[in-house]
Amino acid sequence: MDTEKARLLELRKKIDELSYQYYTLDKPTVTDYEYDMMYRELENIEKAHPDWVTPDSPTQRVGSKISGGFEKYTHDRPMLSLGDVFSDDELREFDQRVRSDLGGESLEYVVELKIDGLAVNLIYEQGQFIRGVTRGDGVVGEDITNNVRTIRTIPLHIASDSPHIEIRGEVYMPITSFEALNQQRRDDELEPFANPRNAAAGSLRQLDPRITAQRKLAFFAYALGGNSGIEIKSQEELLQDLAQFHFQVNPEYRKFTDIEDVITFIHSWDDRRDSLPYATDGMVVKVNSFAQQARLGNTVKIPRWAIAYKFPPEQAKTKVLGISVSLGRTGVLTPAADLEPVHLAGTTVKRATLHNEDYIKEKDIRIGDTVVIQKAGEIIPEVVRSLPERRDGSETVFTMPTTCPACGSPVVRRDGEAAWRCTNPDCPAVIGEKIAHFVSRDAMNIDGLGDAIVQQLLAQGLIHDVADIYGLTKEELVDLEGFGEKSADNLLKAIETSKSVGLARVLFALGIRFVGAKAGRVLAESFGSVDALMKASTEDLTAIDDIGPRIADSIVAYFRDAKNQALIEKLRAHGVDMTAEKKTLINTTFDGEIVVLTGKLQMFSRKEAEQAVEARGGKCTSSVTKKTTLVVVGTDPGSKYEKAKKLGTPIISENEFKEWLER
Ligand code: IVH
């Protein structure tokens, strides 16, 4: 075999192994850099030999967007659901039924955590992953193969030559990923997901696998679907085999013979389950032996050999000490319950959101009430209901303030909205929030302008809007409480640096409704300057991928407002750069490529060739390094050509380059 081909196979094997160590075992054995280098090398070989690319290559995890919806797929064997019980006694009844159906035979149970995600069916043929399907209604699911491929803990091939094997398990979103995703969604003014399961479901049903890939999903394998040619005798053996196949298997399972021990084990999770890095909603008790499972059989919907013991939702009772109202940067007044501190699902809860006025009215939540609070999806505390039977008459009905708690201006509730807003455009609380957002890390990234400083600056009339930050002087700063020479200098330096962060961040920093960090980047790249963006119509905006009508309308409305126009002019006058490199993509032939041109080109000037690459998504650099992905050689190439050969960088001629451009 060709040495290059051999290297390719070696790299794939190595990368699969390293990914398994990193994602599934959580025990990396090399640095990210070493991994990246191997990955890059593999990509280069595959680019030079497109016919060597196979769907199970680690480079093939993220495919392109599909149009329309997902195809339906009928499961070979239905994907069953589970019957459930909610108490120890109900579980004892299950045990008695199973024992009597088995004629009093001895038996073992395997008890697993019930992962709160989405069941999927993975189909492998001759060891190759060929299809991933949602459970759907149990009989017919949706083919989400391309999204499933992006999940790193799902192997794209397994050590099995079975012509057909189906592995079933749960796709879930780890809690840290869930929290990061929701934070990003709040930044982007999108509704956060209520719990990790919804987040996982939303992510799996994305038409664009690139989005799924960003969502950091994971997978626990726990069952076998239709299969041929493998002999497994028990659930315990299955879990061990699945781990051998390099699936992630939840390590918390245990085996028991006595139902009382099962019950003790289940209760051992009562106050431990919140510390798991993923959400669980119960435990699953399964008869271990597959032979006994077969004798017990299934009903149409559920197996008779397994049962789910559901954890009660994590709730606690506590008292509402008061209801306080805070202001966001859009001027919305949000009420929250201040609670008598109470322990719930691993944390002490002191506050719970009450969302808006209507929510409080609907639930009749009064100050002094005893209320039931719950963590939605086990994460965010909310007040579920009040307990009127516990009232002693001292409770008071809450009314929304008619004036802003921060500045005393009147508040209004617009038609069709649940939110009350402060009417004062100069409300210090709102401006304070706006400034906090403006200077935040993903926005203008100005370090050193904390809340207390901002409030002082506002109180002294030194700033009225975000642009005034750029007019601050050292004299003004050193006079502030808690400021010295050095901190003033540092802050001024940070302010100066922020002038050149570029249009993408400026757009995010402005706090235009629905324009998050990502929309900021897309808009900056598409329009190139704030002036071009200000002239854009809703149609111009919606023509861009990723910009929907809601964002488009909000942008148009924002720039139509004379006050905002004046703010942009003020920022410009202070020297804030509001331009970005504009990207007019003709197509994506060179998407992600780092190209070096060397030698004399006959058909293009250097500049034309560079522009042609950039217009197709690539980037031109001047020297060949390990990062270079493609070298275009003209006549009399020099040392760059030699270096590319040495590094094994893919090389194409000018003629080939021309062909690429015409693709
Ligand atoms: S076994 C025939 N094991 O629970 C047995 N299910 O309510 C099928 N689930 O649809 C399921 N963790 O999505 C099994 N360790 C586990 C599980 C589990 C979560 C989910 C699964 C299933 C649902 C039934």
Side-chain angles (χ1 to χ4, degrees), residues 360-661:
I360 301 173
K361 277 197 183 141
E362 253 163 51
K363 307 241 163 195
D364 186 22
I365 298 160
R366 304 184 189 177
I367 299 165
D369 263 354
T370 300
V371 290
V372 176
I373 61 164
Q374 175 174 311
K375 286 205 172 174
E378 334 233 331
I379 314 286
I380 313 153
E382 65 177 14
V383 176
V384 192
R385 61 177 186 278
S386 62
L387 299 172
E389 65 276 19
R390 300 250 189 133
R391 285 181 186 152
D392 63 11
S394 67
E395 297 74 20
T396 49
V397 173
F398 170 77
T399 43
M400 275 305 260
T402 50
T403 57
C404 170
C407 71
S409 307
V411 293
V412 289
R413 183 173 165 172
R414 294 189 204 140
D415 274 354
E417 284 193 2
W420 285 91
R421 288 169 196 271
C422 171
T423 50
N424 174 10
D426 299 318
C427 173
V430 176
I431 296 177
E433 291 294 327
K434 278 188 182 159
I435 293 177
H437 171 72
F438 187 80
V439 304
S440 66
R441 219 179 46 195
D442 293 337
M444 303 305 279
N445 191 21
I446 303 174
D447 217 13
L449 255 189
D451 263 3
I453 310 286
V454 170
Q455 287 310 322
Q456 284 187 69
L457 292 168
L458 285 169
Q460 302 194 10
L462 291 171
I463 56 174
H464 304 94
D465 60 31
V466 294
D468 287 335
I469 294 173
Y470 293 99
L472 290 170
T473 64
K474 189 165 171 185
E475 293 68 47
E476 289 167 349
L477 290 176
V478 286
D479 276 353
L480 299 178
E481 218 183 282
F483 249 79
E485 288 264 334
K486 190 143 186 268
S487 41
D489 281 339
N490 286 343
L491 177 56
L492 288 172
K493 213 157 100 201
I495 292 174
E496 192 56 35
T497 313
S498 78
K499 289 181 182 172
S500 43
V501 292
L503 182 59
R505 281 164 171 269
V506 173
L507 292 176
F508 173 54
L510 288 173
I512 305 168
R513 269 193 105 185
F514 311 125
V515 177
K518 185 172 169 226
R521 282 195 294 275
V522 172
L523 292 165
E525 274 179 10
S526 310
F527 288 92
S529 72
V530 78
D531 299 292
L533 178 61
M534 287 169 86
K535 288 191 202 113
S537 65
T538 312
E539 292 73 46
D540 297 336
L541 288 159
T542 47
I544 300 166
D545 260 0
D546 293 327
I547 304 294
R550 199 171 68 138
I551 304 182
D553 285 344
S554 164
I555 293 166
V556 170
Y558 182 89
F559 288 117
R560 202 183 285 142
D561 186 332
K563 262 193 79 180
N564 295 329
Q565 292 170 9
L567 179 69
I568 299 293
E569 287 322 310
K570 204 163 152 188
L571 287 168
R572 195 198 311 272
H574 280 298
V576 175
D577 177 15
M578 285 179 286
T579 60
E581 271 178 48
K582 187 172 163 180
K583 228 170 141 189
T584 25
L585 274 193
I586 297 172
N587 59 37
T588 54
T589 304
F590 290 111
D591 194 16
E593 303 268 6
I594 300 177
V595 183
V596 172
L597 306 163
T598 177
K600 197 160 169 31
L601 301 178
Q602 309 295 323
M603 292 172 272
F604 310 86
S605 73
R606 194 44 78 93
K607 185 126 201 172
E608 280 166 353
E610 280 177 9
Q611 282 172 352
V613 169
E614 273 155 23
R616 288 164 180 77
K619 203 173 134 195
C620 283
T621 59
S622 56
S623 56
V624 176
T625 67
K626 282 186 188 163
K627 288 196 175 149
T628 310
T629 60
L630 186 72
V631 173
V632 181
V633 281
T635 46
D636 297 329
S639 60
K640 291 181 196 173
Y641 179 50
E642 292 307 318
K643 177 118 190 248
K645 279 200 289 191
K646 215 168 115 202
L647 289 176
T649 316
I651 299 168
I652 60 171
S653 68
E654 186 177 357
N655 273 328
E656 285 171 298
F657 179 62
K658 190 162 169 280
E659 278 169 26
W660 281 45
L661 296 186

Side-chain angles (χ1 to χ4, degrees), residues 79-84 112-120 135 169-170 222-223 235 281 284 286 298 302-303 305-306 308 310:
M79 286 182 78
L80 300 178
S81 159
L82 290 168
D84 40 30
E112 298 166 19
L113 285 173
K114 187 166 184 299
I115 311 299
D116 201 10
L118 262 94
V120 296
R135 176 169 176 270
E170 205 81 357
Y222 54 65
Q235 178 66 10
D281 58 344
V284 186
K286 302 176 180 177
N298 304 318
I302 58 173
W305 45 265
K310 289 285 191 69

